[in-house]
Amino acid sequence: MAEIVIVTREAPIATVQLNRPEVRNAISEQLMDELVKVLAGLDGDDTIRCIVITGSDRAFSAGADIKDNFVNATPVTMLDQDLTSKWEAIRRIRTPIIAAVSGYALGGGCELAMACDIIVASESAQFGQPEINLGIIPGAGGTQRLTRTAGKYVANELILTGRLIKADEARAIGLVAQVYPGASWLEDAKALARAIAEKPPIAARLATEAVDLAWNSTLDAGLEFERKAFYLLFATDDKKEGVDAFMSKRKPTFKGT
Ligand code: CO8
């Protein structure tokens, strides 16, 4: 049987591909479990410095598997499955994660992309939170992350109508960092991952943690964390390497120490 999550290690980057093409990469419980497992494994591997999560040309993910998750679900089964803890586990991965989106990123698919550190898209990408059409609302962070990204008025319009937006509009509302051509989107996303993987990994991890805090805490608490993290980095070999390389006009080589 084909793997539902395909991992390709090309150190210092790794690509994690959702692989349920017959249902547009809908997120079943099994897919989520597998995804959390492979991400945790990659996060514990020092040779991997940036991870790309992707789907296919046609779909990043069409969201929760409606058949698997919702048809017979009750509040009690939903509570029992404890889906939230799995989404939290993805958020807590410390290696920077790029969501490389082509085709549909809908509902939980859009929420999965938003749980990553950076979202890039092919020209063909379409994002949306269509849960309203099923009589529900986003349940894996969509109301919170989309609102923090695009603001209340845009988020409400998208969540209340379920309207899909194309890559350019997603970029305009701050959801997408880069839009790449349809022929090269995955290679372009990997090139971005390799560029990030060349940077000092301890600084990269602390940077994404600090940026996340801008969402999760007060300005004062975020600034406090940033200041301490900034000071901490002066204890790393990579800070010495970066400054030495600048002073001697050469390219730095960071070791992650
Ligand atoms: N779940 C299950 N099956 C799906 C899903 C899905 N989300 N999306 C597509 N499929 C299946 C279709 O049923 C179809 O199966 P079959 O061939 O057996 O009929 C197959 O995939 C292909 O689908 P289409 O023929 O519709 O393919 P298209 O390329 O024409 O259209 C779309 C693709 C636009 C993605 C369309 O299928 C669609 O609208 N899908 C539903 C999208 C949606 O409503 N997503 C939101 C789901 S709710 C959610 O995500 C809440 C998240 C909460 C997170 C917590 C739980 C994990």
Side-chain angles (χ1 to χ4, degrees), residues 131-147:
E131 289 90 340
I132 196 92
N133 298 324
L134 299 171
I136 54 175
I137 64 170
T143 62
Q144 303 305 298
R145 292 201 173 104
L146 189 59
T147 306

Side-chain angles (χ1 to χ4, degrees), residues 43 90-97 115-118 200-219 221-230 232-233:
D43 203 29
I90 292 181
R91 189 166 79 91
R92 300 211 175 280
I93 299 295
R94 298 181 316 153
T95 309
I97 306 181
C116 299
D117 297 301
I118 298 173
I202 303 174
R205 288 177 172 195
L206 286 173
T208 54
E209 209 177 319
V211 168
D212 249 6
L213 263 189
W215 274 13
N216 287 333
S217 105
T218 61
L219 178 61
L223 290 172
E224 186 66 17
F225 176 87
E226 181 194 79
R227 195 163 57 88
K228 299 271 168 58
F230 179 69
L232 180 67
L233 288 164

Side-chain angles (χ1 to χ4, degrees), residues 116-195:
C116 299
D117 297 301
I118 298 173
I119 305 176
V120 297
S122 90
E123 291 161 325
S124 77
Q126 293 198 61
F127 296 82
Q129 298 289 163
E131 289 90 340
I132 196 92
N133 298 324
L134 299 171
I136 54 175
I137 64 170
T143 62
Q144 303 305 298
R145 292 201 173 104
L146 189 59
T147 306
R148 280 166 159 80
T149 300
K152 168 179 167 178
Y153 308 106
V154 172
N156 267 329
E157 189 251 333
L158 294 176
I159 291 168
L160 294 180
T161 62
R163 180 170 73 86
L164 308 195
I165 58 174
K166 297 211 168 114
D168 283 343
E169 187 174 352
R171 186 162 194 222
I173 65 168
L175 186 60
V176 161
Q178 298 288 338
V179 179
Y180 298 134
S184 63
W185 64 275
L186 187 53
E187 276 318 305
D188 291 341
K190 286 186 184 180
L192 175 63
R194 278 190 286 272

Side-chain angles (χ1 to χ4, degrees), residues 8-15 45-50 194 197:
T8 310
R9 287 168 190 265
E10 297 165 293
I13 70 165
T15 306
D45 179 344
D46 285 347
T47 67
I48 300 300
R49 295 187 178 179
C50 191
R194 278 190 286 272

